[in-house]
Amino acid sequence: MIYLDNNATTQPLPEVIEAVGDALQRFSGNPSSPHSAGVAARRALESARDVVSHGFGADDWGDVMFTSCGTESINTAFSLFLTRDIAQVIVSTAEHSAVLRAADRWRDLRPLRHVPVSSDGVLDLDKLAEHVAASPSFVSLVLANNETGVIAEIAAAGEICRRFGAILHVDAVQAAGKMAFSLAALDCDAASLSAHKFHGPRGCGVLFVRRRGSRFAVGRPLLSGHQENGLRGGTENLPAIVGAAVAVESFCELHGITQRIAALRDGLETQLLRAIAGSEVHGARANRLPNTISFFCPYRDSAEMVRRLDQAGVAASAGAACSTGGAPSHVIQAMGLSAERASCTIRFSLSRFTTTADVTAAARIVADAYHSALTLPRCA
Ligand code: PLP
């Protein structure tokens, strides 16, 4: 199988698998227990926290809290920051469904405003400024879009939020491990991650929460309990957390890895665009993740294409993994493109395990699938 669905989930690194197995065996105690087994588990937990904090440039930030996944981190951020002082919630139209649904849950209590993106998927910073100027806001923005890979100008968005006293949460789930960034450099108040997106194990999310004076007011945790500094209750998933820290340690090689992936991505794009007349890459002119291709395949239903590709040995996606319900991508439509066009879009996402041979074979298989699939008359 040529696995080109790394924005859905990634293969854990061999050293991660080993560390998770080792932690399962070694740390039998609960990190909250006072006996020596508990103390050893607590030590491993805190050491993993230091590694993750350091890996994302958050050493002097505030709380680094472990959750079960990106979705939980995002919902926790909403829950913690939506205090009485916040009058409105602001998200972009191209957010992941985890953010859109979290925002929807609070809609009855506070108005929800949307910031549009351009036809290249780029955030409209003027509209963001207009919205945050209106009243005290909680803003949640995606750093790197999961479908197109388009990278938002988060530092500029952070500067706008700070100017108007708005709280900024960054959904960095897709960015982590696919581009280098430091939370210290992003002017945000919170950020969410998910280890399974960067070759760590499933079952470990991270939420960074910055403490900066009056801007930090704790609302209600999503899960009550004494763990994680009282911000996330429940016994920590220590083996997954230890594995996540090992995955973060591999980031020291990230620059070389991302350069190699970008070259493979460019090669795949060139071959696909050449093989399929009228095809296009969404967000091609924008600053993008090095691994992601949102590929418009004219007159072909993407669900049908993904099925054919799977049969031929290529794993790809018709959009976000979480939206396999069949609805055309809201991200592509947010870029001003039609529902028909969104239905003809396939996402290919590469990883450090992708090879040149994979790319050559995948391009041929996609071209074959395209030429043998039925034509959709209305899709343009
Ligand atoms: N945010 C983005 C941008 C994502 O791509 C995803 C998952 O695809 C999530 C949030 C949710 O993360 P998780 O699957 O760990 O809950």
Side-chain angles (χ1 to χ4, degrees), residues 7-8 69-71 74 96 98 142 144 146 171 173-174 194 196-197 322:
N7 287 8
C69 59
T71 304
I74 289 162
H96 187 270
V142 69
N146 51 298
D171 173 359
V173 167
Q174 210 56 249
S194 187
H196 74 97
K197 303 285 190 185
C322 321

Side-chain angles (χ1 to χ4, degrees), residues 311-341:
Q311 281 163 6
V314 173
S317 157
C322 321
S323 67
T324 38
S329 156
H330 70 276
V331 171
I332 303 303
Q333 292 181 79
M335 293 162 77
L337 301 167
S338 67
E340 281 83 3
R341 184 164 170 135

Side-chain angles (χ1 to χ4, degrees), residues 56 143-144 149 151-152 174-181 251 254 258 287 289-290:
F56 289 99
L143 175 52
I151 298 169
Q174 210 56 249
K178 300 188 179 107
M179 60 181 267
F181 67 92
F251 289 0
L254 200 58
T258 54
N287 186 21
L289 287 179

Side-chain angles (χ1 to χ4, degrees), residues 158-169:
E159 196 276 316
I160 291 169
C161 289
R162 184 185 266 279
R163 198 176 341 134
F164 293 101
I167 300 284
L168 175 62
H169 163 256

